[in-house]
């Protein structure tokens, strides 16, 4: 390994997201995999110095594994309060919990136009996700930034 280490990265909460979900579509493919699509109908996001709405039309595409875990990849667009679009790609795993909820870990990429919010696109994000038992209409996400 290297002679020195930059050390364990520090993280800080970059934003919180509430995604509103439509009715899920789930089916077994001809190859035997279980595919799922969770439409993203809207929602809200709040970060340091900004807030946004989630535009309808995104979705979380998933593969359900035999233990009930979902491998997920969500793609959706935020619109910041000043009108700036932000394309979000958030991928990872959602794992079933004994109480019927799901908890997940993700990595996220935010794509933004050049301008005052450029730093959102330059950051590295780690995400946590939570879906409450009995609530199929929402998922709650926190994105954590690892400054360099």
């Amino acid at each position: 390994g290297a002679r020195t280490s930059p050390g364990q990265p520090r993280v800080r909460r970059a934003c919180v997201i509430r995604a509103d979900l439509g009715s899920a579509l789930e089916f077994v493919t001809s190859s035997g995999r279980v595919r799922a699509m969770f439409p993203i109908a809207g929602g809200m996001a709040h970060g340091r110095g900004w807030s946004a709405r989630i535009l309808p039309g995104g979705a979380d595409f998933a593969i359900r594994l035999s233990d009930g875990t979902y491998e997920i990849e969500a793609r959706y667009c935020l619109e910041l309060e000043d009108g700036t679009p932000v394309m979000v790609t958030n991928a990872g795993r959602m794992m079933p919990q004994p109480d019927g909820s799901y908890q997940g870990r993700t990595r996220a990429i935010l794509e933004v136009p050049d301008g005052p919010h450029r730093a959102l696109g330059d950051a590295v994000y780690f995400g946590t996700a939570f879906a409450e038992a009995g609530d199929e209409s929402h998922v709650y996400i926190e994105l954590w930034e690892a400054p360099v």
Side-chain angles (χ1 to χ4, degrees), residues 81-98:
E81 67 273 355
D82 67 1
T84 301
V86 179
M87 178 61 70
V88 178
T89 303
N90 199 9
R93 287 191 171 201
M94 292 291 285
M95 292 146 284
Q97 302 300 303

Side-chain angles (χ1 to χ4, degrees), residues 20-112:
D20 303 335
L21 305 177
S23 298
L25 170 67
E26 200 164 317
F27 62 95
V28 179
T29 68
S30 59
S31 65
R33 291 192 337 184
V34 179
R35 294 294 304 200
M37 190 272 293
F38 303 91
I40 299 172
M44 300 297 296
H46 300 279
R48 288 187 323 271
W50 60 269
S51 63
R53 68 185 184 110
I54 298 176
L55 299 176
D60 191 340
F61 298 94
I63 298 171
R64 190 180 69 196
L65 305 178
S66 60
D67 67 354
T69 295
Y70 285 92
E71 291 183 342
I72 60 169
E73 182 168 340
R75 293 186 62 89
Y76 53 95
C77 195
L78 304 177
E79 181 180 65
L80 301 184
E81 67 273 355
D82 67 1
T84 301
V86 179
M87 178 61 70
V88 178
T89 303
N90 199 9
R93 287 191 171 201
M94 292 291 285
M95 292 146 284
Q97 302 300 303
D99 67 355
S101 66
Y102 279 81
Q103 290 188 26
R105 300 292 183 266
T106 66
R107 56 147 174 81
I109 298 169
L110 278 57
E111 297 174 85
V112 299

Side-chain angles (χ1 to χ4, degrees), residues 109-131:
I109 298 169
L110 278 57
E111 297 174 85
V112 299
D114 201 13
H117 302 289
R118 179 187 178 118
L120 292 175
D122 292 339
V124 174
Y125 298 101
F126 165 78
T128 60
F130 180 67

